[in-house]
Amino acid sequence: MVSKPHGGKLVRRLVAERTRERILSEQKEYPRVQIEHGRAIDLENIAHGVYSPLKGFLTGDDFESVLDHMRLSDDTPWTIPIVLDIREKSFDEGDAILLYYDDLPIARMHVEEIYTYDKREFAVKVFKTDDLHHPGVARLMNMGDYLVGGEIELLNELPNPFAKYTLRPVETRVLFKERGWKTIVAFQTRNVPHLGHEYVQKAALTFVDGLFINPVLGRKKKGDYKDEVIIKAYETLFEHYYPKNAATLATVRYEMRYAGPREAIHHAIMRKNFGATHFIVGRDHAGVGDYYGPYEAWETFDNFPDLGITPMFIREAFYCKKCGGMVNAKICPHDKEFHVHISGTKLRKMIMAGEQPPEYMMRPEVFEVVRSFENPFVE
């Protein structure tokens, strides 16, 4: 069966239209707090149940419990602190405040607690480093000195250029049921698919009813594929190389933390809330640089027998000249001299140079999609 939401109940923090109109008409009466894009995305994910069982930003007890035990204070597995930071206190505990992004009122928040925290402790426990070269640490050190905990109610959605590809957990659960899928494996991606991705996805699909490709849209770094390129490439791959009704795609907006093993658990929880029963955990999942071991995330799942979603550990695929196809180290007996590893960096360089990758690296139809964009990469 489609998995139960994390914590047992799918959270929805959306206000009725009449309440929304009343709050917006009275907005001058509320303390006003500007938030940045990443927190606005977190708000959306709380409101639509992607972060179930959270109903708002973490209070102090939950925050400390997540840092120390990778669980909420009620013992529910939770590994990434979802917090709202402020630089100065302009309201009090017990107040209702309005959260704005780019002057758009996004949510009303009921302030339960305002508390301080140790940034270095946060960094070392979540990212396993306080090195400012780590993008998650750099962002953390830029945060305000106070955290605000409390429940939220969504008033407005953020502008979404990919609304047609966006499905919320309440919608994916209906979709999976309509398709008759009882077991669903989810795959998170920020890249155009190559043959290595396809191998891993199809290996997982062999054991379940359906494949749920869930590209992450959001802040990207220079050289990453643009969101629209990733979506079009997957649509083409589905059309030519996947059985009809065996795979589906929906996007999710999310700001990567690059927290390695902890974030791998968080990604699995998110997909559990979408209804997935299984989750593909990749090599160096959610990692950056050399901060985490290549399969460290796999070991972390051992700490969560109560996670409620089954991780699928499929080794990195490569092309073997002797086997004549995509394989992995578990099934290929040949020496490394016959192996060709698919490097995302190498593929990008080939595409930038207008050079078509070999068919064992990227499907020609996918390459044509990428090439059809004047510039497929973030500048």
Side-chain angles (χ1 to χ4, degrees), residues 130-138 288 291:
D130 58 0
D131 181 357
L132 286 171
H133 291 101
H134 185 295
V137 173
V288 64
Y291 293 100

Side-chain angles (χ1 to χ4, degrees), residues 115-372:
Y115 56 103
T116 57
Y117 65 110
D118 184 320
K119 290 183 183 180
R120 187 180 178 279
E121 180 194 21
F122 186 145
V124 170
K125 287 182 175 174
V126 173
F127 301 109
K128 295 194 166 187
T129 179
D130 58 0
D131 181 357
L132 286 171
H133 291 101
H134 185 295
V137 173
R139 203 175 299 145
L140 164 61
M141 294 304 174
N142 235 0
M143 283 167 52
D145 292 334
Y146 301 95
L147 299 180
V148 186
E151 296 186 0
I152 62 95
E153 301 161 293
L154 195 72
L155 300 173
N156 281 304
E157 306 276 353
L158 289 171
N160 184 1
F162 301 101
K164 111 180 226 202
Y165 297 101
T166 301
L167 291 177
R168 309 299 186 185
V170 70
E171 295 165 321
T172 53
R173 289 170 169 274
V174 170
L175 174 67
F176 299 157
K177 281 180 183 171
E178 283 178 348
R179 292 200 172 187
W181 294 353
K182 291 187 170 62
T183 51
I184 302 102
V185 63
F187 182 82
Q188 162 160 322
T189 185
R190 291 175 291 138
N191 285 303
V192 161
H194 57 57
L195 266 288
H197 298 133
E198 188 180 332
Y199 170 88
V200 168
Q201 291 163 13
K202 287 182 173 175
L205 183 54
T206 306
F207 298 99
V208 296
D209 299 329
L211 171 68
F212 175 47
I213 303 289
N214 196 206
V216 168
L217 308 186
R219 184 184 294 168
K220 286 187 159 49
K221 56 185 185 299
K222 186 179 177 182
D224 285 350
Y225 290 102
K226 291 177 179 173
D227 292 334
E228 56 269 33
V229 180
I230 297 168
I231 291 167
K232 293 296 181 190
Y234 264 104
E235 284 184 331
T236 299
L237 189 68
F238 281 8
E239 183 185 345
H240 294 283
Y241 295 102
Y242 281 77
K244 296 281 182 278
N245 293 322
T248 192
L249 177 146
T251 60
V252 62
R253 284 197 287 200
Y254 171 75
E255 183 175 76
M256 287 289 298
R257 271 71 173 179
Y258 303 102
R262 272 187 181 248
E263 194 163 9
I265 303 292
H266 185 63
H267 290 168
I269 290 169
M270 289 169 64
R271 276 52 189 218
K272 176 186 176 185
N273 285 325
F274 277 105
T277 55
H278 296 71
F279 179 65
I280 296 169
V281 187
R283 181 185 180 280
D284 194 22
H285 192 104
V288 64
D290 297 318
Y291 293 100
Y292 315 106
Y295 296 105
E296 193 178 336
W298 295 15
E299 296 157 17
T300 304
F301 278 85
D302 292 341
N303 300 321
F304 298 95
D306 54 344
L307 196 59
I309 183 168
T310 304
M312 296 186 90
F313 306 131
I314 302 170
R315 293 196 172 272
E316 182 186 19
F318 51 82
Y319 181 79
C320 174
K321 294 174 184 174
K322 226 162 185 195
C323 290
M326 295 302 295
V327 291
N328 66 39
K330 195 173 181 181
I331 60 174
C332 173
H334 303 120
D335 293 336
K336 288 182 179 177
E337 65 190 271
F338 298 106
H339 300 170
V340 182
H341 289 268
I342 303 177
S343 156
T345 306
K346 187 177 177 182
L347 276 174
R348 283 185 181 88
K349 284 180 179 172
M350 292 176 83
I351 290 165
M352 282 176 176
E355 188 182 333
Q356 179 158 353
E359 287 198 26
Y360 61 78
M361 284 191 179
M362 180 176 275
R363 298 287 190 185
E365 294 89 345
V366 171
F367 171 69
E368 288 302 325
V369 166
V370 177
R371 195 170 69 166
S372 70

